[in-house]
Structures are given as C-alpha cells and as structure tokens.
Amino acid sequence: MYLQEWAKPTDKPLCLPLQDIYKIGGGTVPVEQMQTGVLKPGMMVTFAPVNVTSEVKSIEMHLEVLSEALPRNNVGFNVKDVLCGNMAEDNKNDLPMEAAGFMARVIILNHPGQISAVYVPLLDCHIPHIAHKFEKKKKKLEDGPKFLKSDDAAIVDMVPRNLKCFENFSDYPPLVHFPVCNMRQMIAVGVIKAVDKKAARANKVTKSAQKA
C-alpha cells in the first residue's frame, strides 16, 4: 500500500492569495504558499481586488533564490503596491476580479441556535477573518428555509463585507474550502461552488511594470 503522489496543478493559471506582507529594504515582499500555476521572475501579475499590475522582481524560498515557484512552495517575491488578502494571478491567462458574492455548500456543525438570512459570521477562505452575510438559503428538499440549525446542509448565497477576490471549485479546488467561525468557535464548513464577479476596475500599472 502506498500514497499516490499529489499532482501539482501547474497546467492551471497562476493563482495565489497574499497571506503575509513584509517591508524589506524599501520593497514589498508578499509571502504565501503557491496554489496553482507557475511563478517566475519577470512575470507581470495582477492583484485583485485592488487591480494593480506589477512585475515580479525576484523569488525566494528559505533564503534560496528560485528560477520558478511551483504549487505547494512557500515563497516570497518582490513587488510593489499590494495588500494582505489580495489575490495574485497571471494577467495574461486569468485576470482576477472582485467578488460581489458567491454560492457555497455549507454544513452546520455546531450552532446553539438558529441561523437566519441576516447572520454575519467570519470566514477564513485563504485570507484572514472576513465577515460575510448569509443571504438566500436552500436546503435539500426545501427551497428558502427560514433558518438553519446544527446538522443541516444547505446551498447559501453569501456576500462579503469587504472587497475580496474568490474563485470557484471547478477552476481552483485548493482555494475554495472555508470554516465559518463565531465567538471563537468553528460552527460550520463550506465549499464555494460559484462566484458572482464584478466588472474589473481601472487597472493601475506600477512604474517598474511600465519599464519592463
């Protein structure tokens, strides 16, 4: 018996969330784990939802300079004008866009009461805690239930309270699973099935990217 080696999704477009950002020597260094695609020095990447395009100057992993980064590599790279929580994607293959909301399959694990359509918990979906509002709900065999409770499973329309970028399960499986938290407890888990994306805002290109 053996474990099958995980196939790295290098054939998919670049997509990686920025979890931590550091200021080093006057530059901006995002640090995160690669999820899909390939990242190389000299590439032009666009960050959503701020819609900033910048050139990747260099890539390092554990103080070692890399010629390219692959999925599951924990890397840092030198760019400018980005924020924690932004999503970086290759602007030549799949331009990232701000999400107006998304539809998710949610399983309620442990909630002391009832969850209605005005519920606003915190989600951890490849980025730090972000508040989301439960909008419309659809349980199995019941359309538009008045509330959800522990052990229920439902399809829920959710709306983020901050400007964020999300992807759906069919395109980027590593980026769509999330826990739902309230009062420092995990009360539910979910998977993003579809995303309602807004039209892209005016793109800002950094000076270094213009010179490249």
Side-chain angles (χ1 to χ4, degrees):
M1 182 177 179
Y2 63 93
L3 295 176
Q4 185 176 2
E5 183 179 358
W6 179 70
K8 296 182 178 181
T10 55
D11 57 327
K12 289 184 174 292
L14 172 70
C15 187
L16 65 159
L18 307 187
Q19 298 178 348
D20 295 293
I21 292 181
Y22 301 93
K23 296 291 185 179
I24 301 177
T28 302
V29 181
V31 177
E32 69 288 309
Q33 184 181 82
M34 289 282 297
Q35 299 295 337
T36 61
V38 178
L39 183 68
K40 297 181 179 181
M43 284 181 60
M44 296 293 179
V45 294
T46 298
F47 300 89
V50 293
N51 208 22
V52 171
T53 297
S54 186
E55 180 188 12
V56 178
K57 293 295 187 181
S58 60
I59 307 171
E60 291 188 9
M61 183 171 64
H62 306 306
L63 302 180
E64 178 184 353
V65 177
L66 300 180
S67 59
E68 66 176 16
L70 302 175
R72 292 295 176 91
N73 288 161
N74 292 299
V75 300
F77 58 97
N78 194 340
V79 294
K80 290 185 177 181
D81 299 326
V82 296
L83 301 172
C84 184
N86 288 170
M87 182 78 76
E89 297 188 17
D90 183 358
N91 62 344
K92 293 183 179 180
N93 291 318
D94 189 7
L95 188 66
M97 300 172 66
E98 177 187 342
F102 58 85
M103 181 181 69
R105 184 185 301 276
V106 177
I107 300 175
I108 311 300
L109 302 176
N110 179 29
H111 191 277
Q114 299 175 345
I115 297 176
S116 64
V118 296
Y119 188 53
V120 184
L122 295 175
L123 268 65
D124 283 316
C125 188
H126 65 68
I127 51 177
H129 295 309
I130 297 296
H132 289 69
K133 180 182 178 182
F134 276 50
E135 289 281 353
K136 299 178 182 178
K137 305 182 295 296
K138 182 185 293 184
K139 285 200 300 186
K140 186 177 181 181
L141 302 180
E142 182 179 356
D143 191 4
K146 294 182 179 180
F147 59 84
L148 300 174
K149 60 184 186 302
S150 293
D151 298 327
D152 278 348
I155 300 297
V156 181
D157 290 333
M158 308 191 74
V159 178
R161 289 298 180 92
N162 299 77
L163 302 180
K164 293 300 173 185
C165 178
F166 298 97
E167 300 294 347
N168 59 58
F169 180 81
S170 60
D171 295 331
Y172 299 97
L175 295 171
V176 300
H177 301 85
F178 60 86
V180 181
C181 303
N182 194 9
M183 300 297 290
R184 298 184 179 181
Q185 294 184 352
M186 184 172 68
I187 62 168
V189 292
V191 176
I192 297 174
K193 306 298 290 184
V195 180
D196 178 17
K197 296 187 177 183
K198 294 183 178 181
R201 296 187 292 174
N203 182 258
K204 176 184 176 182
V205 181
T206 62
K207 292 182 179 180
S208 60
Q210 293 174 355
K211 296 178 181 178

